[in-house]
Amino acid sequence: MSSADTKAARRAKFEAVFEKIRDELIEHFAAQGMPEEAIEWYRNSLNYNVPGGKLNRGMSVVDTVEILKGEPLNEEEYFKAALLGWCIELLQAYFLVSDDIMDSSITRRGQPCWYRLPEINLIAINDSFMLEGAIYHLLKVHFRSEPYYADLLDLFHETTYQTEMGQLVDLITAPEDKVDLSKFSLERHRLIVIYKTAFYSFYLPVACALLVSKIPYSYTLPSGATVQPFDVSRSILIPLGEYFQIQDDFLDFSGTPEQIGKIGTDIVDNKCSWVVNTAIRLANPEQRKILDENYGRKDAEKEKVVKALFEELKIRDVYAEYEEKVVGELRQKIDEIVEVPGGLKKEVFNSFLGKIYKRSK
């Protein structure tokens, strides 16, 4: 079996769990005496908004639990890990449905945004709330008797709140229709990225895996040193998530549509991206004026001017230097992990880093 076949088989197995939990959610909804029309609406919302993405966040839970266990999961273990993975995908769907409304987006995952469908409109706001509510119903049904149930609830609530904080800072920093580069900075970009993306995309899947694997909050090494695995994980995964988003921002500028599967739009959309923030830091007054006059405009010629300035400022070299520095630091942190039975494993973090380092799409 080729690696592509293995990947497809893993995805198919993970997707089969979604079908089970979707049916479970619909059954519970119908049992409340809801009319057929509402049941159909909810089913359509789940099918349209939850599966269909890359599923990296959700499948990371399963991968991490397998690494921590060191052997294949039995059916029950797999289901629990995959269920938590789908709870993260439900959280992602909740964010995306509402985010698309806030951003007046047109398409998502190659189809019209949910709120853009003629019969949906702003009922999508309530649909996003229902996607979030589904998480806590599933956690209650499947994890209520577990000693770590309250920790799971805390984790999902805290991560949701952190992501919403990041979303607020992003929305007020870079509205698409009002360009003000004085609000931009690398420090502001870092804050947005950590809160809006890194917590829920990188830390949340691993924290879920640690809880379901019953890894304790602290344990003692043979040397007598104390390890706090959740803190260690956060200290690696938050910078890793920041690196991932900076890489994404760089690819939006540097990658071809064939390479990244889309046309980069960060410049015309006035995105508070790492690339423009780095340019702001490097620009002399004359170059800064060019940025102020051309960035964030729905104009192909002005976009070309900005891209030419990015090349003039040697953004590609700055990125290459940043990438090597951050990856070196991350590898050092991972190497410092001392592996003991029932504790953290380096492979959890190396597998994340391996998927990201030098990626081109």
Side-chain angles (χ1 to χ4, degrees):
M1 206 186 242
S2 73
S3 64
D5 289 340
T6 312
K7 198 173 177 183
R10 281 178 52 252
R11 184 182 171 106
K13 184 179 182 184
F14 184 67
E15 286 175 325
V17 175
F18 173 71
E19 291 170 21
K20 282 184 189 169
I21 65 171
R22 176 202 57 206
D23 294 348
E24 185 185 314
L25 288 166
I26 296 297
E27 196 179 308
H28 171 259
F29 186 69
Q32 312 309 305
M34 296 294 157
E36 192 54 48
E37 181 189 7
I39 295 167
E40 194 56 27
W41 186 288
Y42 188 33
R43 181 184 288 112
N44 289 341
S45 170
L46 288 165
N47 286 332
Y48 198 91
N49 295 308
V50 184
K54 296 190 191 86
L55 306 183
N56 289 339
R57 294 168 182 83
M59 291 175 70
S60 292
V61 181
V62 178
D63 294 346
T64 304
V65 173
E66 281 181 342
I67 291 167
L68 290 168
K69 191 184 179 194
E71 57 186 72
L73 306 180
N74 64 37
E75 203 174 315
E76 188 192 346
E77 288 167 335
Y78 181 88
F79 180 76
K80 283 204 155 175
L83 180 77
L84 287 175
W86 280 110
C87 284
I88 298 174
E89 294 297 331
L90 278 161
L91 186 67
Q92 160 87 333
Y94 158 56
F95 291 146
L96 297 185
V97 169
S98 51
D99 192 34
D100 286 343
I101 299 169
M102 288 182 258
D103 289 346
S104 304
S105 299
I106 308 295
T107 60
R108 169 71 66 186
R109 295 172 177 168
Q111 58 185 5
C113 297
W114 179 243
Y115 84 99
R116 302 275 306 185
L117 299 182
E119 69 279 16
I120 307 295
N121 295 312
L122 292 184
I123 298 174
I125 297 170
N126 192 66
D127 293 332
S128 76
F129 298 159
M130 288 186 68
L131 293 167
E132 187 198 21
I135 297 166
Y136 298 100
H137 172 72
L138 290 168
L139 292 178
K140 183 171 76 172
V141 169
H142 294 279
F143 293 95
R144 197 174 188 177
S145 61
E146 297 288 354
Y148 53 84
Y149 174 58
D151 295 319
L152 270 180
L153 293 181
D154 272 353
L155 178 63
F156 272 90
H157 282 306
E158 183 178 28
T159 307
T160 302
Y161 196 25
Q162 288 164 326
T163 308
E164 289 159 350
M165 290 178 195
Q167 171 74 340
L168 173 62
V169 179
D170 191 22
L171 288 167
I172 62 176
T173 301
E176 209 171 315
D177 56 349
K178 187 168 181 253
V179 183
D180 180 2
L181 297 187
S182 69
K183 289 185 173 182
F184 285 24
S185 68
L186 281 169
E187 291 72 26
R188 177 69 66 101
H189 175 265
R190 183 166 187 266
L191 189 71
I192 292 168
V193 166
I194 287 172
Y195 278 83
K196 187 180 172 180
T197 303
F199 278 114
Y200 95 94
S201 300
F202 289 86
Y203 178 64
L204 178 60
V206 171
C208 281
L210 293 176
L211 287 171
V212 79
S213 302
K214 298 183 176 162
I215 303 282
Y217 277 100
S218 72
Y219 54 85
T220 307
L221 297 175
S223 66
T226 300
V227 176
Q228 293 174 310
F230 288 80
D231 292 348
V232 171
S233 299
R234 194 182 299 107
S235 75
I236 295 169
L237 294 163
I238 297 306
L240 189 77
E242 187 187 356
Y243 162 45
F244 174 83
Q245 186 59 52
I246 287 173
Q247 190 178 50
D248 223 42
D249 291 353
F250 177 70
L251 288 170
D252 185 275
F253 150 64
S254 66
T256 62
E258 296 74 30
Q259 187 186 356
I260 62 173
K262 62 178 182 178
I263 296 167
T265 60
D266 283 1
I267 294 171
V268 294
D269 288 346
N270 189 37
K271 286 288 195 294
C272 181
S273 120
W274 176 86
V275 182
V276 71
N277 281 298
T278 301
I280 288 167
R281 178 163 283 189
L282 297 172
N284 62 35
E286 195 182 315
Q287 292 166 325
R288 174 58 191 267
K289 191 165 181 283
I290 292 169
L291 274 177
D292 284 328
E293 289 170 358
N294 293 276
Y295 193 79
R297 310 305 201 277
K298 307 287 187 199
D299 180 320
E301 288 309 309
K302 291 191 171 188
E303 184 186 20
K304 279 183 193 166
V305 171
V306 173
K307 282 191 169 179
L309 180 59
F310 288 166
E311 297 293 7
E312 191 182 315
L313 291 167
K314 296 190 163 43
I315 296 290
R316 291 171 192 270
D317 294 346
V318 179
Y319 174 76
E321 194 179 315
Y322 159 78
E323 182 169 49
E324 291 313 310
K325 180 175 179 284
V326 75
V327 169
E329 288 168 355
L330 287 166
R331 284 186 173 144
Q332 189 179 339
K333 279 186 177 179
I334 294 166
D335 284 345
E336 286 167 3
I337 293 170
V338 177
E339 296 187 357
V340 293
L344 275 184
K345 292 190 178 174
K346 295 178 187 182
E347 179 55 26
V348 167
F349 308 102
N350 281 327
S351 68
F352 271 95
L353 190 54
K355 288 171 194 164
I356 297 168
Y357 182 52
K358 297 282 189 192
R359 75 186 170 101
S360 59
K361 61 179 181 179

